Amino acid sequence: TFKHMVGDIEVVALTDGIGSFAPEVFPDAATEDLNALIAAAGKPAIETNFNAFLIRGRDGIMLYDTGGGDLMGPNVGKLQDALAELGVKADEIDTIFLSHMHTDHWGGSIDKDGQAVFANASLILSDVEYDYWRNPENFVEKGDRAQASQRSAARVFAAYQARLRTTKGAETLYDGLSVLPLYG
């Protein structure tokens, strides 16, 4: 784990696991360009790490994203192990902030039955992200995979609905910790 202090706030990088992406995940990239980059890196595929961040401050313990959980392959879903190494139990997390609703950022937040993994945590994400992902109409013309992703995101919202809140623009989450809207 990598720890860094920002004032009196501790930020710890947590590894949820490693995986690889097929070139189809990047449909706007030319296959020959992807293959050249993979070869230049000396790798057999597009490799990635699935990460989350533990943020400890005066106001509590937050997770920034929750990794891919058991949804991103056999080498992912190690977030609970990473937390255990730090002596942190799931019920001690009081806040989860999701950067966005791609599976590799929220996959560790619910179990296979759609129940909240972090029973005492509130879930926070931007209002723009929430409004987009909770509306199935936004995915009608995007195909089956995108529609399945939207339905999965809706399961996360349902699991945390009683404790879900959104941010609007720049907002302070904790004393010394703010979010900024950087959509892209």
Side-chain angles (χ1 to χ4, degrees):
T1 58
F2 173 78
K3 295 180 183 182
H4 185 75
M5 295 301 292
V6 179
D8 60 354
I9 297 173
E10 179 185 42
V11 179
V12 184
L14 306 172
T15 299
D16 187 45
I18 57 171
S20 62
F21 290 123
E24 302 83 60
V25 173
F26 303 97
D28 295 333
T31 302
E32 59 274 4
D33 292 341
L34 287 174
N35 289 338
L37 290 169
I38 293 167
K43 303 291 183 180
I46 301 166
E47 295 180 350
T48 189
N49 291 318
F50 297 96
N51 299 310
F53 295 89
L54 180 83
I55 301 170
R56 280 194 258 219
R58 294 181 298 269
D59 296 329
I61 302 175
M62 173 190 282
L63 277 179
Y64 179 88
D65 290 339
T66 63
D70 62 358
L71 304 173
M72 302 302 296
N75 297 318
V76 184
K78 315 286 189 229
L79 179 62
Q80 294 301 323
D81 296 337
L83 289 170
E85 282 182 32
L86 297 173
V88 176
K89 296 180 176 86
D91 63 358
E92 294 177 288
I93 305 295
D94 54 54
T95 307
I96 299 167
F97 183 87
L98 295 178
S99 61
H100 63 286
M101 291 306 295
H102 287 163
T103 308
D104 57 321
H105 294 261
W106 64 255
S109 66
I110 59 174
D111 64 19
K112 62 181 170 47
D113 298 319
Q115 300 300 308
V117 169
F118 302 96
N120 297 322
S122 59
L123 179 70
I124 304 172
L125 69 159
S126 79
D127 60 344
V128 172
E129 191 75 3
Y130 179 64
D131 290 343
Y132 178 78
W133 281 91
R134 72 181 176 147
N135 186 350
E137 294 300 314
N138 292 329
F139 297 84
V140 168
E141 296 181 15
K142 295 188 182 223
D144 293 341
R145 184 175 172 182
Q147 290 172 19
S149 292
Q150 187 279 326
R151 288 189 300 272
S152 294
R155 292 178 72 211
V156 175
F157 299 153
Y160 290 90
Q161 190 63 53
R163 302 179 314 275
L164 188 147
R165 78 173 180 90
T166 60
T167 60
K168 184 174 182 67
E171 189 173 313
T172 299
L173 299 179
Y174 286 167
D175 184 23
L177 179 65
S178 299
V179 294
L180 300 172
L182 301 171
Y183 309 114

